[in-house]
Amino acid sequence: MASIYQESQREKAIDLIQSKNPVFYGSLGGKKFMTKFRDFVLIDNIKNLFEPIRSDAVEYFKKNKISWWGGKQPTGHSLSSQIACINHLYQIRNDKEAVLTILKNISDDFTDVLPVVNDKFKPAYIQFEAVSDNDNLNEGVPNRGSNCTSIDALIFGVRNDGSHWLIPIEWKYTEFYNNQNKATEGCTKETKGSKGETRKNRYSQLINNSSQLRSENHFCYYFEPFYQLMRQTLWAEQMIINSKNETLKATNFLHVHVIPSENSDLLEKKYKCSGMGMEATWRFHLEDQSKYFIITPEKLMNGIKDKTYYDLLQYLKIRYW
């Protein structure tokens, strides 16, 4: 069942597709997705990407061995948050000034950005579907974009004291979540080695040892979206703890959550595990709340030079904002 915001964005995408708005470059909707033909899924899926970045982004994913959400090619699903993240950030990834501008929209304490050099192909100032070099979370060999903790976008920043910080960015669009407890998934009295038990075995001790995650009660950590946020926090912490074995050597991190303010079904839901909204729930579980920051996509892109990125900003305004 769709949320109010998700349904509004579906209708918006369908209107743009059917009216032949240039943001979808003439592609028709109606491709099959999850057993049904859907008007908001593009038949020509490559046209889900902003045209100036299209060929470069596809090559970047292929040569860095990154998985696309839902398959081997960019999805035609017009509400994909992976596609939204790439459409917003890919064109600026080589522009140091632009990347520093968006980082300063998060915190004025940053004075520089450095290349994320562990991209084997076309490293720049933003990396997509970032993983650690090593298995720091008991998940197996890191595989960018699937079957492990991946970061939607990563910036490597320098603070005003000269320290190097990881800036993991989690990008949301129309997502909202049910009340599934991932710690009990697949569990029965007769079942051993269930998905839920595997998850707890992976993360419980890391949570207990965390300096950022409060460990008195693990319950909320296994409900979305907190399950993702928990793993990303552990990812950043373990990157720092194991920095001598990682290409990116940082001493701290700032976890950024990009969410449209209109997505009330994600932000304002009273979560079963806490009885509070999303932000209040997550902040309750953090020792240092200054390391977590929520921003809208539009505010994140504020200050990007209009002349240089006029076409990109117009595209984003029509399609997303």
Side-chain angles (χ1 to χ4, degrees):
M1 183 177 178
S3 72
I4 294 172
Y5 177 68
Q6 188 178 77
E7 188 57 39
S8 73
Q9 292 304 294
R10 284 181 183 175
E11 292 174 0
K12 177 181 178 180
I14 291 168
D15 286 344
L16 291 170
I17 293 166
Q18 293 181 349
S19 65
K20 307 292 185 183
N21 190 285
V23 294
F24 288 118
Y25 307 101
S27 178
L28 299 176
K31 191 170 185 176
K32 195 172 186 179
F33 179 82
M34 298 289 286
T35 74
K36 293 183 179 180
F37 296 96
R38 303 179 190 270
D39 291 341
F40 55 88
V41 180
L42 302 181
I43 291 174
D44 192 354
N45 57 294
I46 196 68
K47 292 183 178 179
N48 212 8
L49 291 170
F50 180 48
E51 195 277 333
I53 69 169
R54 193 177 295 160
S55 61
D56 198 69
V58 169
E59 187 180 29
Y60 170 85
F61 268 61
K62 181 178 180 179
K63 292 195 173 179
N64 284 307
K65 298 181 179 179
I66 304 171
S67 298
W68 291 96
W69 176 74
K72 296 181 179 180
Q73 296 292 327
T75 179
H77 195 307
S78 60
L79 305 187
S80 163
S81 58
Q82 183 186 58
I83 295 295
C85 178
I86 294 165
N87 280 337
H88 278 78
L89 299 181
Y90 195 90
Q91 193 177 43
I92 72 169
R93 66 186 297 268
N94 290 295
D95 185 338
K96 185 172 188 175
E97 182 181 352
V99 176
L100 183 57
T101 294
I102 68 169
L103 186 50
K104 283 182 171 292
N105 288 335
I106 297 164
S107 172
D108 282 332
D109 293 333
F110 289 95
T111 59
D112 199 7
V113 290
L114 301 174
V116 187
V117 294
N118 56 342
D119 260 340
K120 292 180 172 57
F121 179 75
K122 292 192 174 181
Y125 298 103
I126 300 177
Q127 182 182 61
F128 295 92
E129 300 296 344
V131 297
S132 53
D133 294 339
N134 304 287
D135 177 19
N136 299 323
L137 300 182
N138 307 312
E139 296 174 335
V141 177
N143 184 19
R144 293 176 71 176
S146 64
N147 300 318
C148 72
T149 299
S150 294
I151 306 302
D152 290 340
L154 180 69
I155 298 173
F156 197 30
V158 180
R159 294 272 281 204
N160 49 22
D161 61 0
S163 59
H164 292 181
W165 286 52
L166 298 169
I167 317 296
I169 298 172
E170 170 67 6
W171 199 283
K172 294 300 182 191
Y173 183 16
T174 67
E175 289 90 343
F176 68 104
Y177 298 98
N178 59 24
N179 294 312
Q180 181 188 25
N181 184 348
K182 288 181 172 290
T184 61
E185 185 179 354
C187 294
T188 66
K189 291 181 180 179
E190 295 79 21
T191 302
K192 293 184 180 180
S194 67
K195 288 183 179 180
E197 288 299 321
T198 298
R199 290 173 181 135
K200 289 191 290 184
N201 289 338
R202 281 176 178 165
Y203 306 120
S204 291
Q205 195 57 48
L206 291 168
I207 294 169
N208 288 336
N209 293 338
S210 172
S211 60
Q212 173 66 341
L213 299 177
R214 295 175 62 184
S215 59
E216 305 92 277
N217 188 342
H218 290 204
F219 187 55
C220 273
Y221 294 135
Y222 292 96
F223 291 82
E224 293 288 19
F226 315 112
Y227 180 62
Q228 293 174 341
L229 297 174
M230 173 269 286
R231 290 183 293 121
Q232 291 161 6
T233 301
L234 293 177
W235 180 89
E237 282 194 312
Q238 291 300 314
M239 283 283 289
I240 293 163
I241 290 168
N242 296 288
S243 61
K244 65 181 179 180
N245 298 317
E246 294 288 337
T247 304
L248 298 181
K249 301 187 184 302
T251 58
N252 217 324
F253 72 94
L254 175 58
H255 194 184
V256 178
H257 214 174
V258 179
I259 308 173
S261 59
E262 301 87 353
N263 190 350
S264 59
D265 290 272
L266 176 63
L267 290 166
E268 298 174 17
K269 172 183 173 176
K270 300 302 180 188
Y271 286 86
K272 181 179 179 180
C273 67
S274 66
M276 298 184 289
M278 192 212 76
E279 183 174 1
T281 298
W282 188 239
R283 290 196 179 281
F284 179 79
H285 287 80
L286 302 179
E287 295 289 353
D288 184 351
Q289 296 191 20
S290 69
K291 290 186 181 182
Y292 173 68
F293 189 84
I294 295 180
I295 191 169
T296 67
E298 187 173 1
K299 288 182 178 178
L300 181 70
M301 303 298 287
N302 186 44
I304 299 295
K305 288 185 176 179
D306 285 346
K307 290 184 179 179
T308 305
Y309 296 106
Y310 177 81
D311 290 343
L312 171 63
L313 293 172
Q314 288 300 114
Y315 172 88
L316 296 175
K317 287 175 184 176
I318 294 168
R319 180 163 176 188
Y320 294 108
W321 304 344

